[in-house]
Amino acid sequence: MKAALLEISESERRIAARPVGLLPSRNMNRIDPHDWGFEKIRAVDEGRAAWLESAGSCDALVGVLVKALNEAINRRDFRIAVDSRNNAFVERRSIVQFQMLPRYYDWFFSARTGYRAQFWINPAAGRAFNSEIMRSLADVLARRLPAMLTAQRIEVRTGDGVRQEEDTGTIEIPCEEIARSLAPDRAKIWIAERLYSSGRIDEIGLTVLSDAARNNANLSNPKWAEAINPKTGEKGEGLRAPTPGPEESWLDLKGGFLLVNGESAQIKPQDERAEQINERGWT
């Protein structure tokens, strides 16, 4: 980023300074270890299982995410991309990617106080937590990014159930548009499956998620163990608990498409997405 970045605010310092891994979760008692266990992980990695068992509160996780995004902005090591409906780049959505330490990525995705766990409780709890996270992270971006940014221009082609993306250069985008696209009611956070770099797209999902399915110890989660993904036909996809290295521990913030009529749209409606994560741990 060539433009000057704004300094971190005092309110952001307070959020980022919240204790990590110590606070009891507001939802910890709502998920019984028999429903969400780490026995298979413990059999191969006691340290990782202990970390997941002791993960801090949902509020502390939000603080960790805020801190990670601020640190990425400080390093100027975050990615911004834009795609659009019908590749016309009129009705566009913003995508922001930032890196996490692997153990915090693990907390986000696989702990009982993590992101998916709130959807496991019920879809409404998941959506509320997603909105809380997006509200905090969108505030960081609105405060710290310059008025105009350069983003990667992504064209998308689909056919036979396959999604292909191509980096077709760069596009200038106002920070205000990013903020509108990433508004809490229209945006979502998830683990990054594709990483946008200048001129190329790295398919993280192939190296991280596929490896997790083949080689990683999975969660012990009876609800998701029998769930079948109607798209892939795989059983128990939600049990996946990927543990990528530092280079692959990225998260996606995906906004809504800003329509010319002033409304917004997602490829998959938020309610449908919440139901899918609740039912099978994946979407």
Side-chain angles (χ1 to χ4, degrees), residues 234-254:
E234 290 191 59
K235 181 185 287 188
E237 275 193 335
L239 303 180
R240 293 187 187 186
T243 53
E247 297 304 313
E248 297 87 22
S249 297
W250 288 74
L251 298 182
D252 263 348
L253 308 179
K254 286 191 175 178

Side-chain angles (χ1 to χ4, degrees), residues 90-135:
V90 175
E91 297 179 322
R92 310 188 295 198
R93 73 169 173 176
S94 300
I95 303 167
V96 176
Q97 301 178 315
F98 66 100
Q99 203 169 10
M100 298 283 289
L101 289 174
R103 65 175 182 164
Y104 295 142
Y105 178 108
D106 207 12
W107 175 3
F108 171 86
F109 203 61
S110 297
R112 293 190 201 107
T113 54
Y115 184 78
R116 287 193 299 171
Q118 309 317 303
F119 287 89
W120 183 96
I121 292 168
N122 61 64
R127 286 202 61 179
F129 192 47
N130 179 80
S131 293
E132 181 181 347
I133 292 171
M134 290 307 308
R135 188 174 295 106

Side-chain angles (χ1 to χ4, degrees), residues 8-9 11-12 15-16 18 58-73 78-80 94-100 108 115 128-145 175 178-185 187-191 250-255:
I8 183 171
S9 69
S11 63
E12 290 162 352
I15 293 173
R18 289 171 176 167
C58 296
D59 290 341
L61 177 57
V62 175
V64 166
L65 293 169
V66 167
K67 182 177 181 181
L69 180 56
N70 271 307
E71 289 176 345
I73 293 172
F78 60 101
R79 315 292 170 88
I80 297 179
S94 300
I95 303 167
V96 176
Q97 301 178 315
F98 66 100
Q99 203 169 10
M100 298 283 289
F108 171 86
Y115 184 78
F129 192 47
N130 179 80
S131 293
E132 181 181 347
I133 292 171
M134 290 307 308
R135 188 174 295 106
S136 296
L137 298 183
D139 182 63
V140 172
L141 295 171
R143 290 175 180 274
R144 300 206 59 205
L145 296 186
C175 181
I178 296 174
R180 286 191 294 119
S181 180
L182 292 177
D185 61 338
K188 61 188 178 182
I189 185 171
W190 194 246
I191 57 176
W250 288 74
L251 298 182
D252 263 348
L253 308 179
K254 286 191 175 178

Side-chain angles (χ1 to χ4, degrees), residues 18-114:
R18 289 171 176 167
V20 175
L22 298 175
L23 300 178
S25 168
R26 57 186 168 185
N27 288 319
M28 182 72 81
N29 294 330
R30 297 177 63 184
I31 303 181
D32 190 279
H34 295 292
D35 292 321
W36 188 299
F38 308 115
E39 294 82 10
K40 295 178 181 178
I41 294 174
R42 185 175 294 106
V44 296
D45 191 338
E46 290 187 6
R48 182 187 176 200
W51 163 255
L52 290 172
E53 286 279 9
S54 64
S57 71
C58 296
D59 290 341
L61 177 57
V62 175
V64 166
L65 293 169
V66 167
K67 182 177 181 181
L69 180 56
N70 271 307
E71 289 176 345
I73 293 172
N74 290 341
R75 297 192 307 270
R76 290 165 171 76
D77 185 20
F78 60 101
R79 315 292 170 88
I80 297 179
V82 174
D83 62 9
S84 67
R85 299 181 76 182
N86 303 316
N87 294 323
F89 288 87
V90 175
E91 297 179 322
R92 310 188 295 198
R93 73 169 173 176
S94 300
I95 303 167
V96 176
Q97 301 178 315
F98 66 100
Q99 203 169 10
M100 298 283 289
L101 289 174
R103 65 175 182 164
Y104 295 142
Y105 178 108
D106 207 12
W107 175 3
F108 171 86
F109 203 61
S110 297
R112 293 190 201 107
T113 54

